[in-house]
Amino acid sequence: LIVILPPPVGVRADAVVETGTFGTKNIFPSNPDLPLRSFTLSFNDGREGLISLTRDLCDPKTDTTIHVALTAHSGKRAEFSSRLATPGCDPRARVSIRRRGRKATLVARLTAAREGPAVTAASLALPKGLRRGRSRPRVRADGKAVAARARKRSARIGFEGDGVRAARIVWKGLVAGKKLRRAVRVRVTLKDARGRKTVLKPRVRLRGHKRG
């Protein structure tokens, strides 16, 4: 692995790459005696890429901890652990619906990507056979109540400031029609701090019964 920092730095740093059960280790034994604040190293992905990931870094269950050991030219050492940021990961949504007779309650949990951009807005579209009753959806985001705009079969929420990390939407009093299936897909659109829109269509199996 060779890292070339262009002018005005003009430095080439060659690394020794080791692999094993511990993962991948990159050692730069001949770093120049120059102060560097930061630099960005990018790899091409896909079939033509140099390296590939064996785990999904966007999965919350994946451990993204890296261990770093630094040795200065003076001989001073510093060791620390850090978590990889994952700014390219998209937000996620989980939806559940419980039915009791002609009434139903929808619960949606929205979460920003771990170490990724916050969620700035969200919209929710009800599946066919389900429409709004008298109640409006209740939203709590990062522990605070947030207002939502609701229509017959949709709801929109905007999050102020820089966005939120997690939000919970509870929409009670929904009216279930005769054509409502036991398994439906709910369209959830999330906008994050990157300005990117993520459209999710989780498959939801209804719980409860047609008769209350």
Side-chain angles (χ1 to χ4, degrees):
L1 176 62
I2 301 174
V3 177
I4 299 178
L5 304 181
V9 179
V11 171
R12 167 176 166 167
D14 292 31
V16 178
V17 182
E18 297 181 4
T19 60
T21 57
F22 52 82
T24 302
K25 181 188 297 184
N26 302 300
I27 303 174
F28 293 87
S30 58
N31 285 353
D33 190 9
L34 292 174
L36 294 177
R37 184 180 300 274
S38 66
F39 73 92
T40 301
L41 180 63
S42 301
F43 290 97
N44 294 327
D45 57 1
R47 294 183 178 180
E48 302 298 327
L50 297 175
I51 60 176
S52 61
L53 293 171
T54 58
R55 296 182 180 180
D56 182 6
L57 293 182
C58 295
D59 189 341
K61 298 180 181 179
T62 301
D63 183 10
T64 59
T65 304
I66 59 173
H67 304 284
V68 183
L70 301 176
T71 303
H73 283 262
S74 61
K76 186 177 180 180
R77 286 180 56 84
E79 296 186 14
F80 60 91
S81 296
S82 181
R83 291 179 60 180
L84 286 172
T86 52
C89 295
D90 296 327
R92 297 171 180 254
R94 291 186 301 164
V95 182
S96 64
I97 301 175
R98 178 175 289 278
R99 179 176 182 175
R100 186 175 182 181
R102 292 205 59 192
K103 298 295 183 180
T105 299
L106 180 147
V107 178
R109 293 176 174 84
L110 316 177
T111 55
R114 178 179 58 178
E115 304 296 332
V119 177
T120 57
S123 64
L124 181 71
L126 298 176
K128 293 182 179 180
L130 199 61
R131 60 180 174 83
R132 173 190 171 185
R134 295 183 178 180
S135 301
R136 290 177 174 269
R138 295 184 178 181
V139 183
R140 291 195 67 84
D142 290 347
K144 299 180 180 179
V146 179
R149 295 181 295 174
R151 295 185 177 181
K152 184 177 180 179
R153 296 189 55 241
S154 65
R156 294 180 179 274
I157 308 104
F159 304 108
E160 298 179 354
D162 297 329
V164 298
R165 305 303 306 173
R168 185 172 184 262
I169 304 171
V170 179
W171 202 345
K172 297 182 178 181
L174 298 175
V175 180
K178 295 181 179 180
K179 296 183 179 180
L180 182 62
R181 298 180 179 180
R182 293 291 299 175
V184 297
R185 289 193 179 276
V186 179
R187 181 186 176 94
V188 182
T189 303
L190 303 175
K191 185 177 180 180
D192 59 37
R194 300 171 296 183
R196 180 182 299 178
K197 288 186 178 180
T198 301
V199 179
L200 305 171
K201 297 180 181 179
R203 187 174 183 272
V204 182
R205 185 171 181 82
L206 272 67
R207 296 178 294 173
H209 304 281
K210 292 184 179 181
R211 295 182 180 180

